Amino acid sequence: MFADSFGSMVFNEKVMRDALSSESFKRLMKIRHEGMPMDDKTLADEVAEAMKKWAVSKGATHYTHWFQPMTGATAEKHDSFLDRDSDGNPILELSGKTLLKGESDASSFPSGGMRETFEARGYTVWDPTSDAFIREDTLCIPTSFGSFDGAVLDKKTPLLRSVETLNTQAVRLLRTFGIETKYVYPSVGLEQEYFLINKEDCAKRRDLILTERTLFGAPTPKGQVLEDHYYGTIRPRVKAFMKELDDELWKVGIYSKTEHNEVAPCQHEMAPIFARSNIAVDENQLTMDIMKKVANRHGFVCLLHEKPFEGINGSGKHNNWSISTAEGENLMNPGKEPEKNIKFLLFITAVIKAVDDYQVLLRISVSSAGNDRRLGGNEAPPAIISMYLGDRLRTIIASIISGSDLETETKKAALTVKNDDRNRTSPFAFTGNKFEFRMPGSAENVSCTNYVLNTIVAESLKQFADRLEPFAGKENFESEVRKLIREELTAHERILFEGNGYSKEWVKEAKRRGLAAFKSTPEAFEHFDDEKNIELLVSHGILNKEEIKARKVIGFTKYNNIINVEARTMLLMAEKDIVPAAIKYSSELAYGIESKQALQLDVEHELKLVSDINEHVKALMLNNETLRSVLDSQPTDPMKQGMNAYKKIVPVMEEERRIVDELELLVDKNSWPYPDYTDMLYYV
């Protein structure tokens, strides 16, 4: 049954092979795998007709161009296959023209100032590299999205372009070694962390409904201190959810492989098998959507926010990245003797150089209001970019830099160190045959993370190819490669760090090394349009200058909007629920105190409790006034708004939370208006 259901709702290569003519199938595969333009109308018509027939046979009645606007979510507009022929009779139709290009209203999607509100027209363009699939009764056709005048308005287009530039530069570099390959592609495995809480608990909390995180909440006594949830026995209800999730993911061809309890109570993880980076991102967007829908059917709400609960582990989306050739060779695989694998050492050097040269751009690619709350604690890496290579590889690199006997030093290291250890605090760690970028947040669309990663590595490879091409095929080629490796490793050794990323000493050391350290999204996004970043992205054809600046505006605007929603939700909860509940409870206490005093009983502690509650209510009401004041006096410029939100609004919100969390511990549980952390995290 599993074999029959896997990929049953995907118009994949197996289906295409059966549905298309042999010539058309070969042509489409060449377009899919080698990045050729899709400009064959006859082929498009044949594919569209085959796609329609297949979809209808699976019960689909509608189709949609499924795209990823700069909201970070996915978008879709459904049209039925229903049309009429020249005689007015009903027919089912999907033309090649419709498959290739659709028109959509672009006015309400973020554009960062590239478009005016009245400029409504946008276009979706079929992405033939990603399989169409069926959700419920609708055929979903993956597409790119742009404006009437060609401006890039989506997350996918830059990613597709980055895959192509990485391919171009990697193929160039491999040719200097005398290696011919059709193409090189980046592959990605995305570990998705998430929380499951009871639907009825979520329904009672305005903060979870409006922001997907608890804006208030005193710590639960247990938390994760006993470390008993990680890899622990999965609750039966959660296991039932996971089973249906797998079933749904497998139907749409997603290789959901791993599931387990994560560190925090109620936290879990799902990990798929690697896929090409653009397909992996598509599948992750679909996974998050399916997670939420399946959770609802099991009486849960799936929380993808990076920090839904304070004091316990936040959720990330570990981005496992490597690059491979068309023939299946993983260029990040060191082999049994990495010290002798000069090609591997050159490619690993390219990644080290890329991460050091563009650490700021990498930091920007994982920046969000939610991730700001996650980075730096409870299993998340710090906000300072660094790389961990493991003891053996680090020994090899140290030997290359120092010029010592590489073989002797490597043999010594092999006897004393383990090659498979990992550093959980490292943002960018080498894990055997790939890099694990652990900074992305769980809710994010990681297209930006991957187009940045692909492009910065492509830039390193380009520089290496430029230098080595004149030496290709010559006797001194290998010596020139080794010289290049040593020079670049020496220049970029500062980005390598094997120690504890949480330590205060590392913060000081990173500063001494000149590494970037941005604690907040606004601080990072200020540098998106630095000349260095513009030159990189423009020269590789990823984005133009206007599109880069637009993304900077969108980043600031989104951050500011999220902070504003959270702050106003705080005010709503405090004034409508928390203050009335605290006053009511203190009044009940006061009535009880009067009764005890009439009996001449000691009421010293009761009086102190009432006094403490009243003091906290007073402090909360004063802080509400301050919060409302900073919300009502914001600048109009998006960049200034974002920085204002971080520097002025967030501190007042943190004080609001401190007061309320203390107040929660003073008020009787039955009088508190919301389920507490223990209720939400330790359900049966």
Side-chain angles (χ1 to χ4, degrees):
M1 182 175 178
F2 167 77
D4 293 336
S5 66
F6 188 88
S8 60
M9 293 298 171
V10 184
F11 191 72
N12 54 31
E13 291 186 9
K14 182 179 182 299
V15 177
M16 294 179 205
R17 186 187 296 275
D18 294 337
L20 302 175
S21 67
S22 176
E23 183 180 339
S24 295
F25 177 75
K26 289 178 182 178
R27 169 73 174 160
L28 184 58
M29 291 307 101
K30 201 169 184 64
I31 291 169
R32 280 170 68 90
H33 298 307
E34 298 181 31
M36 296 180 64
M38 181 59 189
D39 54 6
D40 188 331
K41 185 180 181 304
T42 302
L43 175 61
D45 283 337
E46 184 177 347
V47 173
E49 179 64 18
M51 196 181 285
K52 180 206 70 179
K53 287 182 178 178
W54 170 82
V56 171
S57 75
K58 295 288 184 179
T61 57
H62 290 67
Y63 65 90
T64 181
H65 275 195
W66 185 75
F67 59 101
Q68 301 171 29
M70 287 188 287
T71 57
T74 56
E76 51 197 64
K77 173 180 68 102
H78 296 192
D79 289 298
S80 73
F81 291 116
L82 187 64
D83 206 335
R84 58 185 169 205
D85 63 17
S86 57
D87 297 325
N89 299 312
I91 58 172
L92 299 179
E93 185 173 29
L94 177 65
S95 68
K97 181 180 178 181
T98 301
L99 171 64
L100 288 174
K101 192 173 186 179
E103 184 174 335
S104 177
D105 188 340
S107 61
S108 295
F109 291 113
S111 69
M114 288 189 293
R115 295 171 59 77
E116 299 291 344
T117 302
F118 63 81
E119 295 177 301
R121 185 177 294 179
Y123 291 110
T124 49
V125 179
W126 179 38
D127 170 20
T129 68
S130 190
D131 292 331
F133 57 92
I134 294 173
R135 291 297 316 282
E136 296 163 351
D137 65 350
T138 302
L139 171 68
C140 299
I141 303 167
T143 60
S144 299
F145 179 54
S147 70
F148 176 76
D149 57 2
V152 176
L153 295 178
D154 70 338
K155 298 269 190 177
K156 169 172 270 197
T157 301
L159 178 58
L160 292 173
R161 291 173 175 177
S162 75
V163 170
E164 184 52 39
T165 193
L166 181 66
N167 167 53
T168 299
Q169 303 307 328
V171 168
R172 282 184 63 205
L173 190 58
L174 287 172
R175 282 178 183 152
T176 66
F177 284 84
I179 299 171
E180 291 292 334
T181 181
K182 289 182 180 179
Y183 53 86
V184 172
Y185 63 91
S187 57
V188 169
L190 291 164
E191 303 170 32
Q192 179 69 57
E193 295 175 342
Y194 60 96
F195 282 82
L196 290 177
I197 64 167
N198 279 324
K199 195 192 305 186
E200 58 265 30
D201 288 335
C202 181
K204 295 173 184 175
R205 295 197 57 123
R206 300 178 197 261
D207 48 5
L208 286 175
I209 293 170
L210 296 176
T211 73
E212 209 172 297
R213 80 177 182 96
T214 53
L215 300 173
F216 303 119
T220 179
K222 184 179 179 183
Q224 61 192 49
V225 294
L226 297 182
E227 300 177 329
D228 57 346
H229 191 259
Y230 191 49
Y231 280 26
T233 302
I234 300 172
R235 292 164 168 152
R237 285 181 61 203
V238 174
K239 183 61 180 173
F241 157 82
M242 289 178 171
K243 182 183 184 305
E244 185 180 348
L245 176 63
D246 280 342
D247 290 343
E248 292 298 315
L249 293 177
W250 291 338
K251 286 178 186 176
V252 290
I254 297 174
Y255 284 83
S256 177
K257 177 74 172 176
T258 303
E259 58 195 29
H260 61 82
N261 288 345
E262 253 299 334
V263 174
C266 270
Q267 188 185 35
H268 313 282
E269 181 179 292
M270 168 268 174
I273 296 175
F274 278 65
R276 298 190 183 203
S277 63
N278 57 302
I279 294 173
V281 171
D282 278 2
E283 291 181 346
N284 183 254
Q285 291 296 110
L286 183 55
T287 294
M288 291 192 289
D289 181 55
I290 292 174
M291 277 180 167
K292 287 184 173 291
K293 291 179 179 178
V294 172
N296 184 62
R297 294 199 287 268
H298 288 262
F300 290 125
V301 170
C302 177
L303 300 177
L304 294 170
H305 192 283
E306 288 79 6
K307 197 73 172 179
F309 301 99
E310 287 296 309
I312 60 174
N313 198 43
S315 292
K317 199 192 316 269
H318 300 173
N319 196 97
N320 295 280
W321 181 92
S322 64
I323 48 178
S324 300
T325 67
E327 294 72 32
E329 180 189 3
N330 180 358
L331 297 172
M332 294 291 107
N333 188 346
K336 293 182 179 179
E337 297 180 298
E339 66 278 4
K340 297 180 181 179
N341 189 341
I342 190 171
K343 182 177 62 179
F344 163 75
L345 291 174
L346 184 62
F347 273 86
I348 210 84
T349 298
V351 180
I352 293 169
K353 171 180 170 60
V355 173
D356 186 28
D357 281 344
Y358 294 99
Q359 53 186 280
V360 173
L361 198 54
L362 267 180
R363 174 67 180 89
I364 292 168
S365 78
V366 299
S367 296
S368 68
N371 216 21
D372 285 354
R373 300 185 178 280
R374 165 184 167 261
L375 293 176
N378 295 109
E379 298 291 321
I384 302 170
I385 300 279
S386 67
M387 299 179 71
Y388 171 83
L389 300 180
D391 291 335
R392 187 179 182 191
L393 192 51
R394 188 68 179 91
T395 299
I396 293 170
I397 286 174
S399 179
I400 292 172
I401 292 172
S402 66
S404 58
D405 188 312
L406 183 57
E407 190 170 346
T408 301
E409 292 297 321
T410 303
K411 285 180 179 178
K412 287 181 184 178
L415 294 173
T416 58
V417 302
K418 295 180 180 179
N419 194 35
D420 60 352
D421 199 8
R422 297 189 183 184
N423 185 332
R424 300 296 292 175
T425 68
S426 177
F428 206 100
F430 185 71
T431 55
N433 61 0
K434 58 182 170 47
F435 279 99
E436 182 181 21
F437 190 25
R438 300 182 66 247
M439 290 181 77
S442 55
E444 289 302 300
N445 179 322
V446 287
S447 290
C448 181
T449 295
N450 283 287
Y451 83 64
V452 167
L453 186 51
N454 293 341
T455 306
I456 64 177
V457 173
E459 175 61 22
S460 292
L461 298 177
K462 177 183 181 299
Q463 292 181 29
F464 289 4
D466 288 345
R467 176 165 169 177
L468 294 176
E469 280 175 342
F471 298 93
K474 297 181 180 179
E475 289 185 6
N476 60 343
F477 173 72
E478 184 171 331
S479 63
E480 188 64 25
V481 173
R482 294 190 182 278
K483 181 181 177 183
L484 172 60
I485 290 172
R486 184 179 182 186
E487 288 176 3
E488 294 295 348
L489 290 177
T490 301
H492 300 289
E493 187 181 18
R494 68 173 184 166
I495 201 70
L496 305 179
F497 177 64
E498 313 298 310
N500 181 8
Y502 290 160
S503 68
K504 294 179 180 178
E505 291 75 17
W506 169 234
V507 176
K508 295 177 183 177
E509 172 63 16
K511 185 177 181 180
R512 186 194 68 77
R513 294 186 187 190
L515 301 181
F518 300 118
K519 292 182 179 180
S520 74
T521 291
E523 289 173 311
F525 260 95
E526 264 198 321
H527 297 275
F528 202 154
D529 59 349
D530 285 356
E531 197 57 43
K532 178 180 181 179
N533 297 333
I534 290 175
E535 184 178 351
L536 171 81
L537 296 171
V538 171
S539 66
H540 285 272
I542 309 301
L543 296 167
N544 63 35
K545 189 172 183 178
E546 182 186 19
E547 290 162 350
I548 294 167
K549 290 185 175 295
R551 278 157 175 75
K552 177 179 178 179
V553 172
I554 290 169
F556 273 101
T557 301
K558 185 175 181 180
Y559 177 86
N560 182 65
N561 288 343
I562 288 172
I563 297 301
N564 271 263
V565 169
E566 290 183 348
R568 295 188 186 281
T569 301
M570 274 187 156
L571 283 172
L572 180 65
M573 294 174 71
E575 295 177 346
K576 296 294 184 182
D577 302 320
I578 294 168
V579 168
I583 291 174
K584 181 180 179 182
Y585 178 62
S586 64
S587 298
E588 292 171 354
L589 281 176
Y591 180 78
I593 289 170
E594 287 182 357
S595 300
K596 284 188 174 184
Q597 285 175 329
L599 297 172
Q600 297 183 338
L601 297 175
D602 182 11
V603 292
E604 176 184 353
H605 295 292
E606 289 93 329
L607 286 169
K608 184 178 185 310
L609 178 57
V610 172
S611 176
D612 286 347
I613 292 172
N614 287 342
E615 286 300 314
H616 278 80
V617 168
K618 179 181 177 182
L620 179 56
M621 294 176 77
L622 289 172
N623 202 72
N624 286 345
E625 293 177 10
T626 303
L627 185 54
R628 182 170 282 105
S629 175
V630 293
L631 285 170
D632 291 343
S633 58
Q634 297 183 66
T636 55
D637 178 79
M639 271 74 83
K640 291 180 180 178
Q641 281 180 349
M643 199 60 73
N644 178 77
Y646 170 61
K647 291 185 175 180
K648 294 187 177 180
I649 299 176
V650 170
V652 183
M653 291 172 63
E654 290 173 349
E655 177 64 9
E656 185 95 349
R657 175 160 201 151
R658 184 194 67 79
I659 296 168
V660 171
D661 289 357
E662 289 180 1
L663 185 58
E664 181 182 338
L665 297 176
L666 298 175
V667 174
D668 175 64
K669 175 177 169 54
N670 293 326
S671 300
W672 197 249
Y674 309 118
D676 62 21
Y677 272 23
T678 300
D679 292 333
M680 289 186 286
L681 296 174
Y682 294 99
Y683 56 79
V684 178

